[in-house]
Amino acid sequence: MQGRVSHFAVLSDIHANLGALDACLARIDALSHAAGLSSRMPLYILGDVLDSGPDPAGTLARVNAVGSVFLLGNHEGYVFDYAKNPLNARYSDPLWKLIPWSFHHIGRDAVEAFRTRCVFGHAEHEGRVRFFHASPESNSRNPDFFLEQGHQALAPLPAAFEGRVGALCFAGHNHYAGLHWNPNHSAALHARELWVNSGSVGYPFVEREPSPKGLVQSSVDDPVATFVTAEIRPLESGLDVRVEFHQVPHDGKALLRAFESSGCLEACDPFARAILCQCYFNEDVVYPFFCKAKALGWRQTELAARLRAYLAHTGYEHRLAAAFARLTDN
């Protein structure tokens, strides 16, 4: 006996990037209409909404208005912890200042209200469809069978998956979109557990797709956002599913202006500048830096200066200055 088909979209790691989120919502509206739905399909928000971007308050307001399910990301955990422990010394460290900066722009009441809406995990279809920020064990570590973040090159979005599975899990966290079969699930192929990483709305690490023939080419400066949509029909045993990955360009000039006008580049230097490089250039900047810092045993107190030097040495500071110069010229 087959159940009724359900449609929904999964978005993760928005990171206070309202322009990217709005671009995704516009695409989801179009996909909902194309699917014959009478309204926008439900949105499952997998966490990391609140910080590391230029508009935490606007992003939270939009998410509150459109989301159906809200998961607790590790960055929500940081913001909620700051609400309880604002005098913790780590929040005065230059590499942590985006947390208090975001909290104060959102406001305590809005943060606390959002905290009551967040859950660690969510399940549907008798537990056969599950949602986590990273994994059932942790909201700061993906399953071991995911490729390690920072040890993979940018790749195209996976092709759509269509077929029968035993169980389906959705996650985000590492910003690399992907399909992963759980090797610990020993059932037959059609009954195995499939994991879907939706990538990131705020700054995914993925090869940019060329604009379709006949459409206006997007600017080379336009960053992208990624999310997934799913159609699920429950069966007596397993699920009949279709999962599709989507990449959406958004306005790079608007992103630069948002970071500049928000004041976070100065207030949260150098980490905010590294985050902007990730957003704008679509490159994994921060994780490789911290891997290097760990390998070389750099002390926490020297990391901010080291990151400034890293951004200069790797050319990111020059590229960012050139992007702002083009913005001024226009």
Side-chain angles (χ1 to χ4, degrees):
M1 180 178 178
Q2 293 186 344
R4 187 175 181 179
V5 174
S6 60
H7 298 77
F8 56 85
V10 179
L11 301 89
S12 189
D13 298 270
I14 301 168
H15 285 297
N17 189 339
L18 182 58
L21 174 59
D22 282 343
C24 291
L25 293 178
R27 176 70 63 85
I28 291 168
D29 285 342
L31 293 169
S32 300
H33 178 75
L37 304 178
S38 58
S39 59
R40 179 187 291 150
M41 65 183 70
L43 306 183
Y44 294 73
I45 311 296
L46 300 193
D48 282 10
V49 171
L50 298 182
D51 77 298
S52 299
D55 195 350
T59 303
L60 178 57
R62 185 80 81 250
V63 163
N64 274 328
V66 301
S68 300
V69 173
F70 305 90
L71 298 193
L72 177 69
N74 56 307
H75 282 259
E76 275 75 39
Y78 303 148
V79 176
F80 297 159
D81 177 70
Y82 176 78
K84 295 186 296 183
N85 303 292
L87 299 182
N88 187 319
R90 75 175 180 178
Y91 297 120
S92 62
D93 186 285
L95 298 191
W96 283 88
K97 283 187 176 180
L98 270 169
I99 302 302
W101 184 89
S102 300
F103 174 84
H104 290 297
H105 277 73
I106 296 168
R108 179 175 294 276
D109 290 347
V111 168
E112 291 298 328
F114 188 61
R115 183 182 61 80
T116 64
R117 303 188 74 181
C118 290
V119 295
F120 182 85
H122 177 73
E124 297 184 356
H125 297 295
E126 299 178 332
R128 290 181 288 175
V129 181
R130 298 185 295 159
F131 304 83
F132 303 100
H133 176 65
S135 72
E137 295 77 28
S138 168
N139 67 358
S140 60
R141 181 181 173 85
N142 286 121
D144 290 340
F145 52 85
F146 279 38
L147 289 173
E148 182 67 22
Q149 179 185 351
H151 291 242
Q152 53 185 305
L154 298 185
L157 285 179
F161 173 86
E162 190 167 6
R164 183 179 171 187
V165 300
L168 185 63
C169 293
F170 293 90
H173 182 59
N174 73 3
H175 297 221
Y176 286 92
L179 290 167
H180 309 270
W181 290 105
N182 185 349
N184 302 315
H185 202 265
S186 58
L189 182 62
H190 69 275
R192 290 174 65 191
E193 182 177 75
L194 177 65
W195 278 72
V196 179
N197 189 313
S198 62
S200 168
V201 172
Y203 46 96
F205 305 130
V206 62
E207 280 188 7
R208 295 179 182 176
E209 298 171 345
S211 297
K213 185 177 180 180
L215 298 181
V216 175
Q217 296 289 316
S218 62
S219 165
V220 295
D221 290 334
D222 283 343
V224 297
T226 66
F227 67 94
V228 300
T229 53
E231 301 175 25
I232 296 180
R233 184 190 299 274
L235 308 172
E236 286 188 1
S237 175
L239 304 162
D240 190 17
V241 306
R242 176 177 172 81
V243 175
E244 188 170 0
F245 292 82
H246 305 273
Q247 183 179 133
V248 185
H250 57 95
D251 190 336
K253 294 177 182 178
L255 178 69
L256 291 173
R257 292 190 185 101
F259 266 91
E260 186 174 49
S261 64
S262 71
C264 70
L265 291 180
E266 291 75 26
C268 306
D269 178 70
F271 195 62
R273 302 184 76 81
I275 293 296
L276 174 54
C277 289
Q278 294 197 152
C279 296
Y280 190 74
F281 300 123
N282 188 39
E283 297 174 18
D284 193 350
V285 179
V286 172
Y287 188 80
F289 168 78
F290 282 111
C291 286
K292 182 177 181 180
K294 183 177 180 180
L296 296 178
W298 292 343
R299 298 185 303 274
Q300 179 66 39
T301 53
E302 62 182 309
L303 288 185
R306 294 278 192 180
L307 180 56
R308 291 188 187 97
Y310 179 83
L311 293 176
H313 176 72
T314 54
Y316 283 113
E317 194 62 52
H318 175 75
R319 292 165 63 189
L320 199 57
F324 275 111
R326 291 194 299 272
L327 184 65
T328 303
D329 292 340
N330 294 330

